[in-house]
mmCIF file of all heavy atoms in Angstrom:
data_model
loop_
_atom_site.group_PDB
_atom_site.id
_atom_site.type_symbol
_atom_site.label_atom_id
_atom_site.label_comp_id
_atom_site.label_asym_id
_atom_site.label_seq_id
_atom_site.Cartn_x
_atom_site.Cartn_y
_atom_site.Cartn_z
ATOM 1 N N GLN A 950 50.849 71.931 -19.160
ATOM 2 C CA GLN A 950 51.888 72.199 -18.119
ATOM 3 C C GLN A 950 52.570 73.402 -18.393
ATOM 4 O O GLN A 950 52.843 73.754 -19.564
ATOM 5 C CB GLN A 950 52.808 70.870 -18.119
ATOM 6 C CG GLN A 950 53.758 71.023 -16.906
ATOM 7 C CD GLN A 950 54.617 69.716 -16.802
ATOM 8 O OE1 GLN A 950 54.414 68.753 -17.458
ATOM 9 N NE2 GLN A 950 55.816 69.942 -16.117
ATOM 10 N N ILE A 951 52.775 74.116 -17.145
ATOM 11 C CA ILE A 951 53.383 75.388 -17.268
ATOM 12 C C ILE A 951 54.633 75.381 -16.147
ATOM 13 O O ILE A 951 54.524 74.500 -15.314
ATOM 14 C CB ILE A 951 52.544 76.624 -17.073
ATOM 15 C CG1 ILE A 951 51.881 76.537 -15.683
ATOM 16 C CG2 ILE A 951 51.484 76.616 -18.235
ATOM 17 C CD1 ILE A 951 51.075 77.835 -15.380
ATOM 18 N N SER A 952 55.461 76.298 -16.375
ATOM 19 C CA SER A 952 56.456 76.525 -15.267
ATOM 20 C C SER A 952 55.974 77.535 -14.210
ATOM 21 O O SER A 952 55.136 78.274 -14.478
ATOM 22 C CB SER A 952 57.696 77.068 -15.995
ATOM 23 O OG SER A 952 57.599 78.324 -16.373
ATOM 24 N N ARG A 953 56.701 77.533 -13.094
ATOM 25 C CA ARG A 953 56.199 78.489 -12.080
ATOM 26 C C ARG A 953 56.479 79.842 -12.430
ATOM 27 O O ARG A 953 55.787 80.732 -11.946
ATOM 28 C CB ARG A 953 57.038 77.978 -10.749
ATOM 29 C CG ARG A 953 56.701 76.667 -10.222
ATOM 30 C CD ARG A 953 57.281 76.415 -8.812
ATOM 31 N NE ARG A 953 56.993 75.140 -8.253
ATOM 32 C CZ ARG A 953 56.971 74.829 -7.029
ATOM 33 N NH1 ARG A 953 57.155 75.718 -6.089
ATOM 34 N NH2 ARG A 953 56.761 73.587 -6.677
ATOM 35 N N ASP A 954 57.478 80.079 -13.317
ATOM 36 C CA ASP A 954 57.886 81.329 -13.752
ATOM 37 C C ASP A 954 56.632 82.072 -14.565
ATOM 38 O O ASP A 954 56.526 83.253 -14.714
ATOM 39 C CB ASP A 954 59.017 81.382 -14.637
ATOM 40 C CG ASP A 954 60.312 81.145 -13.828
ATOM 41 O OD1 ASP A 954 60.209 81.259 -12.480
ATOM 42 O OD2 ASP A 954 61.344 80.719 -14.391
ATOM 43 N N GLU A 955 55.788 81.143 -15.112
ATOM 44 C CA GLU A 955 54.655 81.661 -16.026
ATOM 45 C C GLU A 955 53.426 81.869 -15.077
ATOM 46 O O GLU A 955 52.466 82.469 -15.712
ATOM 47 C CB GLU A 955 54.325 80.530 -16.989
ATOM 48 C CG GLU A 955 55.448 80.212 -18.077
ATOM 49 C CD GLU A 955 55.057 79.035 -18.969
ATOM 50 O OE1 GLU A 955 54.478 79.362 -19.925
ATOM 51 O OE2 GLU A 955 55.484 77.966 -18.585
ATOM 52 N N LEU A 956 53.347 81.578 -13.950
ATOM 53 C CA LEU A 956 52.188 81.727 -12.987
ATOM 54 C C LEU A 956 51.891 83.218 -12.845
ATOM 55 O O LEU A 956 52.920 84.013 -12.673
ATOM 56 C CB LEU A 956 52.461 81.186 -11.651
ATOM 57 C CG LEU A 956 52.004 79.749 -11.484
ATOM 58 C CD1 LEU A 956 52.211 79.352 -9.969
ATOM 59 C CD2 LEU A 956 50.505 79.669 -11.660
ATOM 60 N N LYS A 957 50.613 83.594 -12.923
ATOM 61 C CA LYS A 957 50.072 84.935 -12.590
ATOM 62 C C LYS A 957 49.071 84.979 -11.632
ATOM 63 O O LYS A 957 48.193 83.943 -11.608
ATOM 64 C CB LYS A 957 49.561 85.592 -13.962
ATOM 65 C CG LYS A 957 50.613 85.713 -15.095
ATOM 66 C CD LYS A 957 50.171 86.396 -16.233
ATOM 67 C CE LYS A 957 49.021 85.727 -16.898
ATOM 68 N NZ LYS A 957 49.400 84.412 -17.514
ATOM 69 N N PRO A 958 48.927 85.881 -10.773
ATOM 70 C CA PRO A 958 47.837 85.951 -9.820
ATOM 71 C C PRO A 958 46.443 85.847 -10.597
ATOM 72 O O PRO A 958 46.308 86.563 -11.586
ATOM 73 C CB PRO A 958 47.959 87.212 -9.086
ATOM 74 C CG PRO A 958 49.478 87.541 -9.232
ATOM 75 C CD PRO A 958 49.877 86.954 -10.553
ATOM 76 N N GLY A 959 45.578 85.056 -10.047
ATOM 77 C CA GLY A 959 44.296 84.891 -10.716
ATOM 78 C C GLY A 959 44.149 83.667 -11.652
ATOM 79 O O GLY A 959 43.116 83.308 -12.070
ATOM 80 N N ASP A 960 45.321 82.966 -11.762
ATOM 81 C CA ASP A 960 45.295 81.695 -12.505
ATOM 82 C C ASP A 960 44.617 80.637 -11.844
ATOM 83 O O ASP A 960 44.713 80.361 -10.686
ATOM 84 C CB ASP A 960 46.740 81.296 -12.901
ATOM 85 C CG ASP A 960 47.385 82.117 -14.012
ATOM 86 O OD1 ASP A 960 46.652 82.856 -14.673
ATOM 87 O OD2 ASP A 960 48.612 82.012 -14.200
ATOM 88 N N HIS A 961 43.806 79.959 -12.705
ATOM 89 C CA HIS A 961 43.218 78.660 -12.286
ATOM 90 C C HIS A 961 44.238 77.539 -12.587
ATOM 91 O O HIS A 961 44.537 77.252 -13.760
ATOM 92 C CB HIS A 961 41.878 78.458 -12.960
ATOM 93 C CG HIS A 961 41.302 76.997 -12.766
ATOM 94 N ND1 HIS A 961 40.076 76.778 -13.262
ATOM 95 C CD2 HIS A 961 41.617 75.949 -12.127
ATOM 96 C CE1 HIS A 961 39.695 75.536 -12.866
ATOM 97 N NE2 HIS A 961 40.668 74.937 -12.291
ATOM 98 N N ILE A 962 44.826 76.825 -11.563
ATOM 99 C CA ILE A 962 45.797 75.904 -11.720
ATOM 100 C C ILE A 962 45.366 74.577 -11.246
ATOM 101 O O ILE A 962 44.354 74.438 -10.510
ATOM 102 C CB ILE A 962 47.188 76.329 -11.098
ATOM 103 C CG1 ILE A 962 46.973 76.400 -9.554
ATOM 104 C CG2 ILE A 962 47.696 77.467 -11.759
ATOM 105 C CD1 ILE A 962 48.191 76.729 -8.813
ATOM 106 N N TYR A 963 45.983 73.525 -11.699
ATOM 107 C CA TYR A 963 45.616 72.150 -11.228
ATOM 108 C C TYR A 963 46.895 71.203 -11.338
ATOM 109 O O TYR A 963 47.849 71.565 -11.956
ATOM 110 C CB TYR A 963 44.452 71.556 -11.984
ATOM 111 C CG TYR A 963 44.705 71.263 -13.446
ATOM 112 C CD1 TYR A 963 45.040 70.032 -13.866
ATOM 113 C CD2 TYR A 963 44.587 72.385 -14.458
ATOM 114 C CE1 TYR A 963 45.319 69.788 -15.248
ATOM 115 C CE2 TYR A 963 44.677 72.005 -15.739
ATOM 116 C CZ TYR A 963 45.121 70.837 -16.180
ATOM 117 O OH TYR A 963 45.291 70.569 -17.551
ATOM 118 N N SER A 964 46.881 70.160 -10.615
ATOM 119 C CA SER A 964 47.820 69.121 -10.577
ATOM 120 C C SER A 964 47.213 67.800 -10.581
ATOM 121 O O SER A 964 46.263 67.539 -9.810
ATOM 122 C CB SER A 964 48.793 69.353 -9.358
ATOM 123 O OG SER A 964 49.817 68.425 -9.410
ATOM 124 N N TRP A 965 47.808 66.897 -11.322
ATOM 125 C CA TRP A 965 47.263 65.462 -11.318
ATOM 126 C C TRP A 965 47.554 64.684 -10.125
ATOM 127 O O TRP A 965 48.742 64.876 -9.692
ATOM 128 C CB TRP A 965 47.653 64.766 -12.673
ATOM 129 C CG TRP A 965 47.011 65.293 -13.872
ATOM 130 C CD1 TRP A 965 47.671 66.178 -14.771
ATOM 131 C CD2 TRP A 965 45.740 65.193 -14.412
ATOM 132 N NE1 TRP A 965 46.857 66.589 -15.825
ATOM 133 C CE2 TRP A 965 45.637 65.952 -15.559
ATOM 134 C CE3 TRP A 965 44.556 64.479 -13.843
ATOM 135 C CZ2 TRP A 965 44.414 65.919 -16.236
ATOM 136 C CZ3 TRP A 965 43.406 64.517 -14.609
ATOM 137 C CH2 TRP A 965 43.349 65.273 -15.762
ATOM 138 N N ARG A 966 46.659 63.770 -9.730
ATOM 139 C CA ARG A 966 46.947 62.948 -8.654
ATOM 140 C C ARG A 966 46.766 61.573 -9.064
ATOM 141 O O ARG A 966 46.126 61.166 -10.087
ATOM 142 C CB ARG A 966 45.902 63.244 -7.432
ATOM 143 C CG ARG A 966 45.958 64.652 -6.894
ATOM 144 C CD ARG A 966 47.281 64.934 -6.108
ATOM 145 N NE ARG A 966 46.925 66.017 -5.210
ATOM 146 C CZ ARG A 966 47.391 67.255 -5.476
ATOM 147 N NH1 ARG A 966 48.075 67.560 -6.603
ATOM 148 N NH2 ARG A 966 47.146 68.242 -4.571
ATOM 149 N N SER A 967 47.273 60.630 -8.259
ATOM 150 C CA SER A 967 47.056 59.156 -8.389
ATOM 151 C C SER A 967 47.085 58.721 -9.867
ATOM 152 O O SER A 967 46.142 58.234 -10.381
ATOM 153 C CB SER A 967 45.629 58.728 -7.907
ATOM 154 O OG SER A 967 45.622 59.074 -6.493
ATOM 155 N N ALA A 968 48.284 58.823 -10.528
ATOM 156 C CA ALA A 968 48.587 58.338 -11.856
ATOM 157 C C ALA A 968 47.517 58.903 -12.830
ATOM 158 O O ALA A 968 46.940 58.235 -13.704
ATOM 159 C CB ALA A 968 48.451 56.760 -11.838
ATOM 160 N N TYR A 969 47.263 60.164 -12.752
ATOM 161 C CA TYR A 969 46.464 60.897 -13.710
ATOM 162 C C TYR A 969 44.966 60.425 -13.751
ATOM 163 O O TYR A 969 44.247 60.789 -14.545
ATOM 164 C CB TYR A 969 46.994 60.832 -15.103
ATOM 165 C CG TYR A 969 48.350 61.524 -15.288
ATOM 166 C CD1 TYR A 969 49.548 61.007 -15.006
ATOM 167 C CD2 TYR A 969 48.338 62.846 -15.682
ATOM 168 C CE1 TYR A 969 50.696 61.502 -15.192
ATOM 169 C CE2 TYR A 969 49.563 63.537 -15.866
ATOM 170 C CZ TYR A 969 50.670 62.818 -15.618
ATOM 171 O OH TYR A 969 51.898 63.495 -15.758
ATOM 172 N N ILE A 970 44.572 59.936 -12.510
ATOM 173 C CA ILE A 970 43.179 59.476 -12.340
ATOM 174 C C ILE A 970 42.315 60.812 -12.171
ATOM 175 O O ILE A 970 41.141 60.915 -12.557
ATOM 176 C CB ILE A 970 43.037 58.492 -11.293
ATOM 177 C CG1 ILE A 970 43.692 57.177 -11.629
ATOM 178 C CG2 ILE A 970 41.441 58.268 -10.971
ATOM 179 C CD1 ILE A 970 43.756 56.083 -10.593
ATOM 180 N N TYR A 971 42.751 61.605 -11.261
ATOM 181 C CA TYR A 971 42.036 62.801 -10.898
ATOM 182 C C TYR A 971 42.969 63.989 -10.534
ATOM 183 O O TYR A 971 44.142 63.776 -10.359
ATOM 184 C CB TYR A 971 41.324 62.401 -9.474
ATOM 185 C CG TYR A 971 40.177 63.451 -9.063
ATOM 186 C CD1 TYR A 971 38.894 63.367 -9.767
ATOM 187 C CD2 TYR A 971 40.273 64.353 -8.149
ATOM 188 C CE1 TYR A 971 37.861 64.144 -9.411
ATOM 189 C CE2 TYR A 971 39.232 65.204 -7.787
ATOM 190 C CZ TYR A 971 38.021 65.123 -8.406
ATOM 191 O OH TYR A 971 37.023 65.891 -8.120
ATOM 192 N N SER A 972 42.483 65.151 -10.678
ATOM 193 C CA SER A 972 43.277 66.328 -10.527
ATOM 194 C C SER A 972 42.726 67.203 -9.462
ATOM 195 O O SER A 972 41.469 67.282 -9.164
ATOM 196 C CB SER A 972 43.453 67.122 -11.872
ATOM 197 O OG SER A 972 42.183 67.512 -12.342
ATOM 198 N N HIS A 973 43.616 67.964 -8.772
ATOM 199 C CA HIS A 973 43.264 68.967 -7.791
ATOM 200 C C HIS A 973 43.347 70.365 -8.392
ATOM 201 O O HIS A 973 44.429 70.678 -9.012
ATOM 202 C CB HIS A 973 44.038 68.745 -6.516
ATOM 203 C CG HIS A 973 43.544 69.593 -5.323
ATOM 204 N ND1 HIS A 973 42.229 69.644 -5.002
ATOM 205 C CD2 HIS A 973 44.219 70.430 -4.464
ATOM 206 C CE1 HIS A 973 42.043 70.404 -4.065
ATOM 207 N NE2 HIS A 973 43.166 70.986 -3.690
ATOM 208 N N HIS A 974 42.348 71.187 -8.062
ATOM 209 C CA HIS A 974 42.358 72.644 -8.632
ATOM 210 C C HIS A 974 42.331 73.562 -7.657
ATOM 211 O O HIS A 974 41.791 73.420 -6.544
ATOM 212 C CB HIS A 974 40.977 72.670 -9.498
ATOM 213 C CG HIS A 974 41.005 71.806 -10.730
ATOM 214 N ND1 HIS A 974 40.989 72.245 -12.001
ATOM 215 C CD2 HIS A 974 40.905 70.418 -10.723
ATOM 216 C CE1 HIS A 974 40.913 71.098 -12.858
ATOM 217 N NE2 HIS A 974 40.871 70.046 -12.145
#
Side-chain angles (χ1 to χ4, degrees):
Q950 185 174 344
I951 62 172
S952 69
R953 297 190 183 207
D954 292 340
E955 297 175 85
L956 265 180
K957 299 183 296 295
D960 279 349
H961 172 173
I962 59 176
Y963 63 97
S964 181
W965 291 104
R966 304 285 202 265
S967 301
Y969 292 86
I970 292 172
Y971 196 78
S972 57
H973 186 48
H974 297 244

